Amino acid sequence: MEGLWIFLGFILTAVCVHDTTALPTKWNQSRGRPRSGTDPQFKEMFFTQILDHFNYNSLGNGTFSQRYLITDQYWRRGLGPVFFYTGNEGDVWDFALNSGFMVELAAKQEALVIFAEHRYYGKSLPFGQESFNIENVGLLTVEQALADYAIMISELKEELGAQKCPVIVFGGSYGGMLSVYMRIRYPNIVTGALAASAPILSTAGLGDSGQFFRDVTADFENYKPTCKDAVKAAFQKLQTLAQKQDYARIQSAFSLCKAPSSDKDIHQLNGFLRNAFTLMAMMDYPYDTSFMSKMPAFPVKVACEVMLNGTEVLSALRDTVGIVYNSTGEQICFDLYSLYVECADPTGCGLGFNSYAWDYQACTEVEMCFESNNVTDMFPPMPFTQSMRMEYCAKRWAVVPRPGWLKTQYWGNALSTASNIIFSNGDLDPWANGGIRKSLSKSLIAINIADGAHHLDLRASNKYDPASVVKARQQEATIIAQWVKAAREKTL
Amino acid sequence: MEGLWIFLGFILTAVCVHDTTALPTKWNQSRGRPRSGTDPQFKEMFFTQILDHFNYNSLGNGTFSQRYLITDQYWRRGLGPVFFYTGNEGDVWDFALNSGFMVELAAKQEALVIFAEHRYYGKSLPFGQESFNIENVGLLTVEQALADYAIMISELKEELGAQKCPVIVFGGSYGGMLSVYMRIRYPNIVTGALAASAPILSTAGLGDSGQFFRDVTADFENYKPTCKDAVKAAFQKLQTLAQKQDYARIQSAFSLCKAPSSDKDIHQLNGFLRNAFTLMAMMDYPYDTSFMSKMPAFPVKVACEVMLNGTEVLSALRDTVGIVYNSTGEQICFDLYSLYVECADPTGCGLGFNSYAWDYQACTEVEMCFESNNVTDMFPPMPFTQSMRMEYCAKRWAVVPRPGWLKTQYWGNALSTASNIIFSNGDLDPWANGGIRKSLSKSLIAINIADGAHHLDLRASNKYDPASVVKARQQEATIIAQWVKAAREKTL
């Protein structure tokens, strides 16, 4: 199933769907594992990792194989820094192949590059196919993941003769959150962090439940106010038809494989539709990408053009979400329940094993009670309260979420004692306003990228890059070089 | 069994032996729970605590009752700071009643005072009598204890209307280590820490395995070099008798209830004897105490006088250790195996349930491979290597210790990003040189107390206090007041 690329939803970054035979197989098959000229020849390795860092007598009194990718082709051996990507909710190759900036910077700064895969994702499944059974899934926590990285960095440095090399962590989205956490939790191991598009506030329950879909909406509205109006009108029309239970008309308007027959199906349809806009807003890059799903350049612009050029709002809406769900044009109809799965993250969990893991994290530590309300956004009202979250999570995973936990553990907005973190965010990214947008001190630096979508700065240079991201990368490079220099001077 | 007070060994602080009917009952019975004039009228309370902070699907998917003591009699309600004692390896009352400085300071600085009991000690046993079964003991970790305190502080502040009150944590010995860890781990919750006699380096595997018993020896040598010589000669004579297997003579010389009959018994005797010197060095206070065991004023001086005034070295050694093991003079003979239990902490684990817990911690996270060698110290060579530790811990607790773990988790000596910690140490305390002895920055402040034993500064003022501790407490009070003031200004 390698190369199958359906991805829907929050997943802040890429997810490659493995081992799921029930999914459509026609879309985005071509991606695979590109080995282009910019491929830095990563070696794929496995690290023997402690299964449970926090209980010496649990079932975790053992080890598992944690995947990582490594390249030393640019490294000034024993002296150059270590650039360590704190992998997020997906296959580590996807981050490695979509974070070209790290490799470009490694070439300039003579760094060793490591991409670590997060436990319970990709090939780093502690219990293989059984990892998501209730009795095994409990070892999937942020704390375990951070301890994995702390141990991995320490041991690999030893093994590779990099004891004196300062470590800079990088991450995008949830991976960026982990980078922040690594720096504040393990400053003894990590010299600095570049946290790109890391919503550390909103996922810690700080902020406003309407922010996310309001900001998705703003992207379309900013392109053209009429675009937002058209989307809103289409959802309104859908609601009218649903109220009349005119399911046949809905099926034909949206080219659904199966007619809806209940409120539940309509709810599913609304989630499916909304999710396409989420993805287009997040991936609003100035060139074609195939990161979370295959996406044209400027998908928000493309979407609005489709939306506004349509002869009828419902079919226009169908064709607009088709940018995401039917990029190759080969799909004859939409199978709602296989293309989108509702979960504890209202921005989507994707599909397959990686989505199970993310759903579990959203059910435990990572809080994403985001809602659309049709007032501050263009979507139908879709509430998702803590009590709805609790009900779902108890049923699905036999867990009770702990609101406030991330804030307690990783300081929320009380960051005054932290240092050496870059918080970069793109103004186009709906996650941006869930993160740090203003510098908090000389070494807690916010970089805002006017024309950037979701962690655009981590991507490789591209001739279509806006000036704002070029400048941001330059700033980041300069700051990182300063951190490395200061750390090196300390150890000499 | 309340009031039974046998305590032998490392336990950095007090341990009250509960629920152990096999122990001798004649010693130190009088202590109980004094309610003297200085008693700050603590209320004993229980907090509903999360059982497993790090696994949402474990057996810990529940709660337990965690004990704490609280007094608001000095508190400027809603404004004064919170002084929070991060309880260590024992009954919380013992810390509350032996840390009078905190209460005196609270009276001056209008603070709310809370003493929290560490999980798996005292009455805070998550699984009651079953807590130390292998399947239950795994939730005893430093990380769980710190998370307990983070949650408890946050919730109690809310409950008591103390949201704006800066929190200062206090702790002695292992409790002092926890205070350091709380400040570096949760600076969002804790403004500053007074860590008294906290051996954060030696217990993280940093330092020299001979340091501890060398420094115990130094205390006796510094009183009189001939004292050290006499102790060394007595151990030498014991060894000679043991080599000849003259067990009857050993029994009579040391008033043992049962004659030794093997190398194992001799090893036990050596451990028993060495441990008395450890305790006297740690508790070398200038007035009578009954903290870890009943102890006369200046026990090192008393011990040396007994040692040097004896007519024969073996009986002199017996009478010297009798200061600890037979303080009331009522003991007819020494029962080696009930008075001292060997464990994963060569400075002693004490007896009873609390000692099980400490033994487990010494078998997992807290590294104490301390050895006597008869070269740099006056004791018989008693090696305790990592491999001996591993063998013991596998057998006793079915665990494999993880050397280096505390250093990874709590930064070891890489403290440059930390702030607002006082590291106080007494020069008489054998634990002192396992801690921070030199200030690391303006806000990482070492205070060395020339005439202080184990966390003397935390004890209540006493007319016999040496000038050095009076001055240390003044410094501590000033620094803490500054921290509180600065934090309060930030929140206004």
Side-chain angles (χ1 to χ4, degrees), chain A residues 193-205:
Chain A
L194 170 53
S197 304
I200 60 165
L201 301 180
S202 59
T203 56

Side-chain angles (χ1 to χ4, degrees), chain B residues 98-286:
Chain B
N98 282 284
S99 306
F101 170 60
M102 237 177 101
V103 176
E104 293 172 5
L105 195 65
K108 281 182 202 148
Q109 302 192 1
E110 303 179 306
L112 177 69
V113 180
I114 299 171
F115 278 79
E117 188 162 76
H118 192 296
R119 58 166 59 199
Y120 285 83
Y121 293 95
K123 288 193 176 168
S124 300
L125 301 179
F127 303 92
Q129 304 286 318
E130 314 290 314
S131 294
F132 300 98
N133 298 357
I134 298 297
E135 66 273 22
N136 292 335
V137 72
L139 297 179
L140 169 54
T141 64
V142 170
E143 289 71 30
Q144 300 277 8
L146 298 177
D148 287 345
Y149 296 152
I151 300 277
M152 187 190 275
I153 292 170
S154 303
E155 291 194 15
L156 290 183
K157 282 183 78 170
E158 200 74 31
E159 203 177 288
L160 298 166
Q163 292 92 334
K164 289 184 178 175
C165 304
V167 176
I168 308 296
V169 290
F170 295 71
S173 202
Y174 170 56
M177 290 162 56
L178 296 178
S179 288
V180 174
Y181 301 166
M182 281 302 290
R183 170 61 187 166
I184 66 177
R185 183 71 193 79
Y186 297 105
N188 51 327
I189 293 172
V190 167
T191 292
L194 170 52
S197 304
I200 60 164
L201 301 181
S202 58
T203 56
L206 295 162
D208 145 21
S209 64
Q211 173 265 318
F212 187 87
F213 292 110
R214 185 171 65 230
D215 287 353
V216 171
T217 300
D219 280 354
F220 294 86
E221 187 175 19
N222 289 341
Y223 176 71
K224 260 187 195 164
T226 50
C227 179
K228 173 199 165 185
D229 297 339
V231 174
K232 199 166 181 178
F235 275 111
Q236 186 55 53
K237 188 161 181 187
L238 166 57
Q239 200 196 328
T240 307
L241 292 176
Q243 276 164 350
K244 290 188 208 155
Q245 303 197 341
D246 192 350
Y247 295 134
R249 170 89 178 82
I250 292 171
Q251 179 182 19
S252 98
F254 287 100
S255 304
L256 305 181
C257 302
K258 206 179 144 196
S261 64
S262 64
D263 286 353
K264 180 174 165 285
D265 290 347
I266 297 300
H267 178 82
Q268 177 72 14
L269 175 59
N270 279 325
F272 164 85
L273 296 169
R274 187 180 69 175
N275 197 61
F277 290 92
T278 296
L279 281 171
M280 291 188 285
M282 283 171 63
M283 304 298 129
D284 195 20
Y285 300 129

Side-chain angles (χ1 to χ4, degrees), chain B residues 264-321:
Chain B
K264 180 174 165 285
D265 290 347
I266 297 300
H267 178 82
Q268 177 72 14
L269 175 59
N270 279 325
F272 164 85
L273 296 169
R274 187 180 69 175
N275 197 61
F277 290 92
T278 296
L279 281 171
M280 291 188 285
M282 283 171 63
M283 304 298 129
D284 195 20
Y285 300 129
Y287 47 86
D288 290 9
T289 54
S290 50
F291 177 39
M292 284 167 62
S293 71
K294 204 165 180 304
M295 201 64 87
F298 298 114
V300 168
K301 175 173 172 285
V302 174
C304 284
E305 280 164 3
V306 171
M307 199 66 219
L308 293 171
N309 290 339
T311 50
E312 189 273 327
V313 288
L314 289 191
S315 59
L317 181 54
R318 175 199 61 204
D319 294 344
T320 301
V321 305

Side-chain angles (χ1 to χ4, degrees), chain A residues 73-118:
Chain A
Q73 69 193 93
Y74 310 112
W75 191 33
R76 191 165 163 211
R77 186 164 297 279
L79 286 171
V82 178
F83 288 175
F84 186 94
Y85 189 94
T86 54
N88 14 356
E89 69 284 25
D91 184 304
V92 69
W93 274 107
D94 299 323
F95 307 109
L97 298 174
N98 283 283
S99 306
F101 171 60
M102 238 177 102
V103 176
E104 293 172 3
L105 195 64
K108 280 182 202 148
Q109 302 192 0
E110 302 179 307
L112 176 68
V113 180
I114 299 171
F115 278 80
E117 188 162 75
H118 193 296

Side-chain angles (χ1 to χ4, degrees), chain A residues 184-475:
Chain A
I184 66 178
R185 182 72 194 80
Y186 297 104
N188 51 326
I189 294 173
V190 167
T191 292
L194 170 53
S197 304
I200 60 165
L201 301 180
S202 59
T203 56
L206 296 162
D208 147 19
S209 65
Q211 172 265 317
F212 186 86
F213 292 109
R214 185 171 65 232
D215 288 354
V216 172
T217 300
D219 280 353
F220 294 86
E221 188 175 18
N222 289 341
Y223 176 71
K224 261 187 199 166
T226 49
C227 178
K228 173 197 165 188
D229 297 340
V231 174
K232 201 168 179 176
F235 275 111
Q236 187 54 53
K237 187 159 181 189
L238 166 58
Q239 201 196 330
T240 307
L241 292 177
Q243 276 164 350
K244 290 188 209 158
Q245 303 198 339
D246 191 350
Y247 295 135
R249 170 88 176 87
I250 292 171
Q251 179 183 19
S252 98
F254 288 101
S255 304
L256 305 180
C257 302
K258 207 181 144 196
S261 63
S262 65
D263 286 353
K264 181 174 165 284
D265 290 346
I266 297 300
H267 178 82
Q268 178 72 14
L269 174 59
N270 279 325
F272 164 85
L273 296 169
R274 187 180 68 175
N275 197 61
F277 290 93
T278 297
L279 282 171
M280 291 188 285
M282 284 170 63
M283 305 297 128
D284 195 19
Y285 300 129
Y287 48 86
D288 289 11
T289 55
S290 52
F291 177 39
M292 284 167 63
S293 71
K294 203 165 182 304
M295 201 65 88
F298 298 115
V300 168
K301 175 174 171 282
V302 174
C304 284
E305 281 164 4
V306 171
M307 200 65 219
L308 292 170
N309 291 338
T311 49
E312 190 272 330
V313 287
L314 290 190
S315 58
L317 182 54
R318 176 200 61 203
D319 294 342
T320 300
V321 304
I323 296 166
V324 173
Y325 297 120
N326 195 15
S327 60
T328 59
E330 291 176 22
Q331 197 68 15
I332 305 159
C333 62
F334 290 128
D335 179 358
L336 284 184
Y337 287 93
S338 73
L339 292 173
Y340 175 71
V341 177
E342 201 173 26
C343 70
D345 173 3
T347 76
C349 282
L351 301 169
F353 266 19
N354 288 328
S355 78
Y356 296 167
W358 185 247
D359 188 33
Y360 184 77
Q361 296 202 259
C363 267
T364 50
E365 299 178 289
V366 185
E367 287 177 59
M368 285 169 297
C369 286
F370 304 151
E371 311 182 290
S372 57
N373 55 34
N374 201 242
V375 177
T376 56
D377 56 62
M378 63 191 181
F379 304 111
M382 298 180 78
F384 187 61
T385 61
Q386 282 290 0
S387 73
M388 291 166 75
R389 181 182 178 220
M390 283 178 76
E391 196 186 341
Y392 168 81
C393 296
K395 215 168 176 177
R396 174 64 185 91
W397 294 108
V399 295
V400 181
R402 294 186 199 141
W405 174 248
L406 282 192
K407 180 168 175 263
T408 298
Q409 285 289 94
Y410 306 108
W411 314 0
N413 52 4
L415 291 166
S416 65
T417 61
S419 60
N420 287 13
I421 305 174
I422 301 168
F423 301 95
S424 69
N425 278 292
D427 289 354
L428 304 180
D429 182 11
W431 292 101
N433 290 322
I436 303 291
R437 298 285 266 161
K438 284 183 189 167
S439 295
L440 301 172
S441 71
K442 273 190 186 170
S443 74
L444 294 174
I445 303 155
I447 293 182
N448 294 310
I449 305 165
D451 304 299
H454 203 44
H455 49 69
L456 173 61
D457 49 333
L458 286 188
R459 301 185 64 81
S461 305
N462 185 295
K463 61 180 172 180
Y464 297 110
D465 277 333
S468 57
V469 79
V470 174
K471 191 182 156 207
R473 290 192 191 120
Q474 282 164 353
Q475 283 178 274

